[in-house]
């Protein structure tokens, strides 16, 4: 169904054009008052030049006007007009009369123009009508554009709400084709699209569709994108507003805006209201002391409006958040946001699809999407979009006009580890330690079963501070991780430091990130995954913000907390010991691979495996 929203689009007659008109009028009036000086080029000069020219008999015409002398000189057959300040000079008239001139009668024509008093009518226009007109035009434009934003029937109340972006957009080009993966979410939203297309089908049977759907998921998974796609597919007006826009400085405005929004939506039905980042207003009301009055009023108004409108009319409310656990329970009860649509980080297939969508928008050669998708486990759609863009930028930098696989791989590394930092000075000894450290990770990973294959090792410093890194790429998608997998991962993380110890007999700060990650993993094994013998299946930690970083808080006694530390230490010690064994058994591989890496700075997984196998066969 096509929807006309004539009053709802911002009008084109803008303040700039009327401003131009005002300038034109002023220029015209100016020309009326100073007619003949406007169209001559006038040069400033000093009084002595004036006198000199007069004595030389070069002046044709002199005109005195409001304390300025304008005189026209014939120079090399050309008439030039000069301007100079008038000086108290009683003999000026005498001199002018006596002076010679190139004029036909040999005399200078001279005159004084007494500035004419403007006629009272003109004065009145300039002083009163013009400024009034100016203000009227500005006011008219401002109120018109705000009305356009607020919808055709904008009332005076809405005047104070400037800056809000509530206008119905009826020409959204985004469709479901732009949203890759997320098939479950699309499936659920298709029903809403269908409802907006054929409400009759649903109302005939007496059904009323969910009034609202809440999109939840980590940042960058396409929540905002898919909401736009729903509007694009349904071809209905789309009222988009961000939660924070409701909360304004003046108490009561947020609630007024909610009222306004729903009133307009009702007029434009069928349509979609989209409230992005709804947690800004929808936060639980009991949380914290001294709640924010303004926010609560706005939330209450929102709850009231959602109850108040008729679900069969065709107004669908979508909202997005990445903190669903903070939302007020009242918002989530049936009849309000009763549908919850989960947007997850994309899996392998999803990542391929997203890369394909974004690659379609850039020029590229045949690229190996599979490798890129496998190397980017855990990244969001927004990051993948960024990777494609970085690759395009790199291609331009390299003077090519198409993206190739190398661009994509490099930009994956840029997004994950930061840009290359070639200028950083690293001494030969440090380089050697870094090389052994990275080979240590790679070797330990390669010697264990159930460990992701090594894809690449490099010792080029990165802007993120990494001095080198070992990139492992999962061969497939793993849904469940078992205890051995996790332990092996910790062993791999300890591999770098172990290599420093075993070969260079030194410990460095280079392992700090490994230590952090290993500890986090070991801790999660004990407190959340029930993988320690001592605590069996007891949950000792809860995750607070699943979609934003996932920080945790302990839910056990202080005594248990101390014991957890011991358990964690135990796991890490075992892992460290295992890594030491693996490295000591393969010292020869370590040396050969490190030599190769020091020479080339980068070594691929295949090259590494080749070294590994040839050394082991020799034995
Ligand atoms: P969110 O609102 O969930 O934080 P956005 O919808 O703003 O994320 O996504 C940001 C950008 O990431 C989008 O504009 C799009 O380019 C890209 N993106 C995210 N998810 C997808 C997806 N599933 N398919 C295609 N592009 C995506
Ligand atoms: Mg968003
Ligand atoms: Zn390391």
């Amino acid at each position: 169904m096509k929807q006309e929203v004539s009053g709802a689009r911002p009008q084109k007659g803008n303040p700039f054009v009327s401003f131009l008109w005002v300038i034109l009028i002023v220029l015209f009036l100016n020309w009326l008052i100073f007619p003949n000086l406007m169209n001559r080029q006038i040069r400033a000069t000093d009084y002595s030049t004036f006198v000199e020219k007069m004595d030389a008999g070069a002046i044709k015409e002199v005109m005195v006007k409001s304390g300025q002398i304008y005189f026209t000189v014939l120079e090399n057959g050309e008439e030039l007009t000069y301007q100079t300040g008038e000086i108290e000079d009683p003999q000026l008239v005498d001199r002018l009369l006596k002076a010679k001139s190139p004029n036909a009668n040999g005399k200078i024509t001279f005159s004084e123009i007494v500035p004419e008093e403007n006629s009272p009518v003109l004065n009145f226009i300039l002083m009163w009508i013009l400024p009034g007109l100016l203000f009227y035009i500005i006011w008219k434009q401002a109120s018109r554009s705000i009305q356009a934003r607020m919808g055709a029937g904008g009332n005076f109340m809405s005047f104070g709400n400037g800056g809000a972006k509530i206008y119905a957009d009826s020409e959204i080009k985004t469709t479901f084709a732009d949203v890759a993966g997320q098939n479950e979410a699309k499936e659920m939203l298709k029903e809403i699209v269908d409802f907006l297309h054929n409400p009759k089908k649903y109302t005939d049977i007496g059904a009323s569709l969910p009034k609202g759907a809440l999109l939840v998921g980590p940042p960058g998974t396409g929540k905002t994108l898919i909401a736009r796609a729903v509007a694009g597919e349904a071809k209905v007006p789309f009222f988009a507003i961000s939660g924070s826009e409701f909360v304004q400085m003046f108490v009561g405005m947020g609630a007024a805006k909610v009222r306004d929004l729903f009133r307009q939506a009702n007029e434009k039905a069928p349509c979609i209201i989209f409230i992005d980042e709804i947690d800004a207003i929808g936060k639980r009301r009991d949380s914290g002391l001294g709640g924010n009055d303004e926010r609560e009023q706005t939330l209450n108004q929102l709850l009231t409006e959602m109850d108040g409108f008729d679900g069969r009319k065709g107004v669908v409310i979508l909202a997005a958040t990445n903190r669903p656990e903070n939302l007020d329970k009242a918002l989530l009860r049936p009849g309000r946001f009763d549908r919850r649509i989960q947007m997850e980080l994309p899996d392998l297939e999803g990542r391929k699809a997203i890369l394909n969508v974004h690659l379609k928008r850039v020029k590229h050669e045949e690229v190996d999407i599979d490798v890129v998708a496998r190397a980017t486990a855990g990244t969001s759609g927004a990051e993948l979009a960024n990777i494609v863009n970085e690759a395009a930028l790199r291609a331009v930098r390299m003077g090519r006009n198409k993206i190739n696989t190398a661009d994509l791989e490099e930009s994956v590394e840029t997004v994950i580890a930061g840009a290359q930092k070639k200028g950083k000075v690293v001494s030969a000894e440090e380089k050697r330690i870094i090389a052994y450290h990275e080979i240590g990770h790679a070797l330990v990973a390669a010697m264990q079963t159930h460990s992701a294959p090594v894809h690449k090792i490099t010792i080029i410093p990165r802007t993120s501070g990494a001095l080198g890194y070992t990139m492992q790429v999962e061969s497939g998608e793993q849904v469940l991780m078992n205890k051995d997998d996790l332990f092996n991962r910790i062993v791999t993380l300890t591999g770098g430091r172990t290599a420093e110890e075993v070969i260079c007999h030194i410990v460095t700060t280079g392992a700090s990130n490994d230590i952090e990650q290993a500890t986090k993993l070991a801790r999660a094994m004990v407190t959340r995954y029930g993988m320690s013998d001592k605590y069996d299946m007891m949950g000792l930690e809860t995750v607070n913000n699943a979609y934003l970083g996932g920080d945790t808080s302990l839910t056990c006694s202080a005594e248990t907390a101390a014991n957890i530390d011991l358990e964690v230490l135990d796991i890490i010690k075992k892992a460290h010991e295992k890594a030491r064994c693996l490295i000591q058994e393969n010292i020869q591989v370590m040396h050969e691979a490190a030599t190769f890496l020091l020479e080339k700075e980068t070594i691929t997984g295949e090259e590494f495996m080749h070294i590994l196998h040839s050394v082991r066969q020799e034995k």
Side-chain angles (χ1 to χ4, degrees), residues 178-182 217-226 276-277 320 322 354 357-358 361 380-383 385:
D178 295 312
V179 188
Q182 307 291 4
T221 43
K223 298 183 293 295
T224 309
L225 184 71
I226 209 168
D276 209 353
E277 318 288 355
N322 34 37
I354 293 173
V357 163
H358 288 281
R361 299 183 189 152
S380 67
E383 281 166 309

Side-chain angles (χ1 to χ4, degrees), residues 131-378:
L133 203 70
L134 202 74
F135 277 113
Y136 177 74
I137 289 173
I138 291 172
W139 176 78
K140 189 89 186 151
Q141 287 294 344
S143 68
R144 198 194 295 171
S145 73
I146 284 174
Q147 271 184 21
R149 286 170 186 184
M150 305 296 291
N155 53 16
F156 210 76
M157 187 69 191
S158 52
F159 194 86
N161 286 352
K165 196 178 52 194
I166 319 183
Y167 57 86
D169 200 339
S170 58
E171 285 162 25
I172 290 193
K173 296 280 187 301
T174 316
T175 64
F176 281 149
D178 295 312
V179 188
Q182 307 291 4
N183 291 327
E184 302 76 18
K186 276 195 231 167
E187 217 43 62
M188 288 175 101
L189 289 168
K190 264 182 194 149
E191 201 182 11
I192 291 179
V193 172
D194 191 45
F195 171 70
L196 291 167
H197 273 305
N198 309 303
K200 206 165 173 311
K201 196 164 89 187
Y202 295 84
T203 48
D204 273 357
I205 202 172
S208 67
L209 231 82
K211 280 186 190 170
L214 183 66
L215 299 157
V216 295
T221 43
K223 298 183 293 295
T224 309
L225 184 71
I226 209 168
R228 290 183 69 82
V230 172
E233 290 277 337
K235 299 197 174 56
V236 296
F238 184 66
F239 291 89
I241 186 165
S242 158
S244 57
E245 282 176 44
F246 281 120
V247 187
Q248 292 217 327
M249 258 183 290
F250 305 105
V251 175
M253 278 308 193
K257 202 175 273 178
V258 172
R259 255 194 315 276
D260 229 39
L261 177 65
F262 276 83
R263 189 178 43 67
Q264 284 174 59
N266 263 322
E267 283 165 13
K268 296 267 177 319
C271 67
I272 293 174
I273 298 178
F274 176 52
I275 307 175
D276 209 353
E277 318 288 355
I278 195 175
D279 42 289
I281 46 167
K283 233 180 262 161
R284 259 204 302 269
R285 276 169 292 186
D286 56 3
S287 59
L289 293 167
N292 179 339
D293 259 358
E294 165 65 343
R295 192 168 54 69
E296 283 188 11
Q297 278 194 29
T298 310
L299 176 57
N300 283 334
Q301 188 66 39
L302 181 65
L303 296 174
T304 318
E305 292 289 347
M306 286 192 78
D307 280 343
F309 77 86
D310 185 355
R312 277 165 301 181
K313 237 184 133 178
V315 178
V316 172
I317 307 173
L318 298 177
T321 180
N322 34 37
R323 274 186 243 153
E325 66 281 347
N326 280 356
L327 289 185
D328 199 288
K329 290 286 169 288
L331 262 181
L332 302 173
R333 77 141 167 78
R336 291 187 183 133
F337 289 109
D338 35 14
R339 271 216 181 166
R340 190 180 166 120
I341 296 174
Q342 205 78 30
M343 304 284 287
E344 289 302 342
L345 287 175
D347 57 9
L348 183 61
E349 286 308 312
R351 289 197 296 276
K352 278 190 211 168
I354 293 173
L355 284 170
N356 270 322
V357 163
H358 288 281
L359 277 171
K360 247 181 232 149
R361 299 183 189 152
V362 295
K363 287 189 187 148
H364 61 92
E365 293 167 9
E366 222 20 57
V367 290
D368 190 349
I369 287 184
D370 198 59
V371 177
V372 183
R374 276 194 285 116
T376 47

Side-chain angles (χ1 to χ4, degrees), residues 437-438 441 468-470 492-493 495-497 500 510-514:
H437 177 111
E438 296 306 333
H441 285 304
Y469 67 89
T470 306
T492 305
L493 284 166
R497 162 60 66 85
E500 293 175 15
S512 62
N513 186 259
D514 299 334

Side-chain angles (χ1 to χ4, degrees), residues 73-123:
V73 179
L74 191 70
E75 263 175 13
N76 311 328
E78 225 185 319
E79 278 192 17
L80 300 173
T81 301
Y82 292 92
Q83 171 191 16
T84 182
E86 192 183 8
I87 285 179
E88 197 65 36
D89 184 356
Q91 279 123 45
L92 178 62
V93 176
D94 261 4
R95 276 208 236 163
L96 282 171
L97 278 172
K98 278 185 208 143
K100 292 205 189 74
S101 159
N103 280 341
N105 59 2
K107 299 216 169 318
I108 299 177
T109 15
F110 64 93
S111 61
E112 172 158 18
I113 298 180
V114 181
E116 209 178 302
E117 270 292 312
N118 285 339
S119 76
V121 178
L122 193 63
N123 262 346

